Amino acid sequence: MSHTYLFQPALWTGNGTFWCADGQPLPAECRTEVAHRAECWLLSGSLKVLGSPPVEFVNAYWIQLPGREGAAIKWSSENATLGKLQGTFSVIGSSILSVYRSESAGYHGADHLRRLDDDTYESTGMLLLDDRRLSS
């Protein structure tokens, strides 16, 4: 199965639910842009949680070019709250999985993107601090 997310330059938008650590659901909006350069791929994105007051999380990823197999693609990101993150994307059938960890703190997490069609993915993820879920 071929994937369009990550593997083709594009602008992606979406909306859904952000789950706080206390289980409170809040509406959320996201925007992600994927760009391909000769030396790497770039992903810049934001997640706006529409609480009171609204909060926006901004991320910029530097993604290593996939190898011949493309089974595991390494990425890194600087985040104002979480610090420097290191992660790996892995394509498994109709899904793209991402696992990551902070280099300096106990933050770690995972994201699952399921391809519904060329233009639509469903995303589910969680952020943990040590063994405590902070958000999903």
Side-chain angles (χ1 to χ4, degrees):
M1 169 174 290
S2 65
H3 282 274
T4 49
Y5 186 77
L6 288 182
F7 293 90
Q8 294 180 12
L11 176 63
W12 296 83
T13 59
N15 56 59
T17 303
F18 179 92
W19 296 90
C20 302
D22 64 3
Q24 177 186 7
L26 294 171
E29 301 172 345
C30 64
R31 180 183 188 281
T32 301
E33 184 172 359
V34 177
H36 289 183
R37 303 286 186 258
E39 65 280 0
C40 68
W41 294 351
L42 303 172
L43 183 151
S44 58
S46 65
L47 172 67
K48 189 175 207 177
V49 180
L50 305 174
S52 181
V55 177
E56 186 168 19
F57 302 95
V58 177
N59 285 299
Y61 293 62
W62 178 87
I63 304 166
Q64 288 184 3
L65 296 175
R68 189 174 289 172
E69 297 296 317
I73 303 167
K74 292 183 179 183
W75 60 267
S76 63
S77 175
E78 288 282 342
N79 183 288
T81 303
L82 307 177
K84 187 168 184 171
L85 301 174
Q86 296 290 332
T88 303
F89 290 112
S90 186
V91 175
I92 303 170
S94 64
S95 297
I96 300 172
L97 301 177
S98 177
V99 294
Y100 58 90
R101 62 176 165 50
S102 170
E103 287 189 345
S104 59
Y107 295 108
H108 58 106
D111 294 303
H112 171 251
L113 296 118
R114 183 172 63 103
R115 182 184 181 275
L116 302 177
D117 60 44
D118 283 350
D119 301 318
T120 311
Y121 280 75
E122 178 181 73
S123 176
T124 305
M126 67 177 177
L127 170 65
L128 301 125
L129 176 57
D130 297 321
D131 62 352
R132 183 171 52 100
R133 188 176 76 191
L134 298 179
S135 64
S136 57

